Amino acid sequence: KAAILGKDMAVTKILSKRMRLDRLINYVVNPDKTDDYVLTYFYNCHRGSAKKEMLDTKDRYSKRDGIQAFHIIQAFDRGEISPELAHQIGHEFIKEHLPDYEVVLGTHVDKEHIHNHIVLNSVSFMTGKKYHSTSQS
C-alpha cells in the first residue's frame, strides 16, 4: 500500500512480514545504513533485546503464528529532507500511531534518498491484539 504525502512525493508503505524478527531488525538498524546506529530508535523495547521482547509478547498472548511483524517504509525524494528530520518524522509517526506496540526505527542514509524503516511487532504488548493494516488505517 502506498500513500502520497504532499507534492514532493514522499511515499509511505506497509508490508506484512513472516520472516525471522532478528533478520528484519538487524537490517533496519544496520550500522552501515544508520550512521553507525546514530539514526536508530527503540520504542517500548530495548536495543539488544527487541527481538526477545517481541517474542515474549507473542508468547504471553499465544500469538506466535502468522505475520511476525509489519515493516513500514517512509521514503523521501533526494534532497527533500535531512536525515535528522526524517528520523524525527519517524519518531512522531511511531508515538502517534503505534503507542501500544514494540517498535524499532532505523533511518537509512546509504542511498541517494533518505528513508525510514519501521518494524513493529504484530502483537500489541498492551492488549494482545494483532495489528491490522487497512487502507483507512
Side-chain angles (χ1 to χ4, degrees):
K1 298 171 185 168
I4 305 302
L5 305 174
K7 66 180 183 169
D8 288 330
M9 300 300 288
V11 175
T12 300
K13 61 183 173 179
I14 184 167
L15 309 166
S16 58
K17 296 291 184 175
R18 294 178 184 268
M19 67 189 291
R20 287 180 24 192
L21 285 171
D22 57 338
R23 287 185 180 168
L24 185 56
I25 292 168
N26 288 342
Y27 173 76
V28 167
V29 301
N30 180 331
D32 295 330
K33 299 174 182 283
T34 60
D35 198 15
D36 204 23
Y37 300 112
V38 170
L39 297 170
T40 61
Y41 176 60
F42 294 80
Y43 186 74
N44 294 323
C45 59
H46 301 91
R47 180 184 310 277
S49 61
K51 173 199 160 201
K52 181 181 182 327
E53 292 173 65
M54 290 181 185
L55 291 175
D56 287 348
T57 294
K58 293 174 187 308
D59 288 343
R60 184 169 50 251
Y61 295 106
S62 300
K63 294 186 177 179
R64 270 251 196 163
D65 60 326
I67 295 169
Q68 296 300 298
F70 287 89
H71 182 183
I72 299 169
I73 303 166
Q74 298 175 316
F76 304 91
D77 280 345
R78 188 175 90 195
E80 176 183 8
I81 197 167
S82 70
E84 296 79 15
L85 182 55
H87 198 63
Q88 184 60 37
I89 288 170
H91 277 232
E92 291 173 13
F93 177 86
I94 291 165
K95 288 178 181 177
E96 182 177 339
H97 298 289
L98 307 169
D100 295 342
Y101 292 87
E102 293 139 333
V103 185
V104 176
L105 164 66
T107 301
H108 288 195
V109 295
D110 62 320
K111 304 279 187 205
E112 288 187 17
H113 67 283
I114 306 298
H115 52 286
N116 289 329
H117 290 273
I118 300 169
V119 175
L120 70 130
N121 191 356
S122 61
V123 179
S124 165
F125 76 95
M126 293 291 290
T127 66
K129 292 182 180 178
K130 281 218 166 189
Y131 181 83
H132 293 284
S133 175
T134 66
S135 58
Q136 291 78 28
S137 64

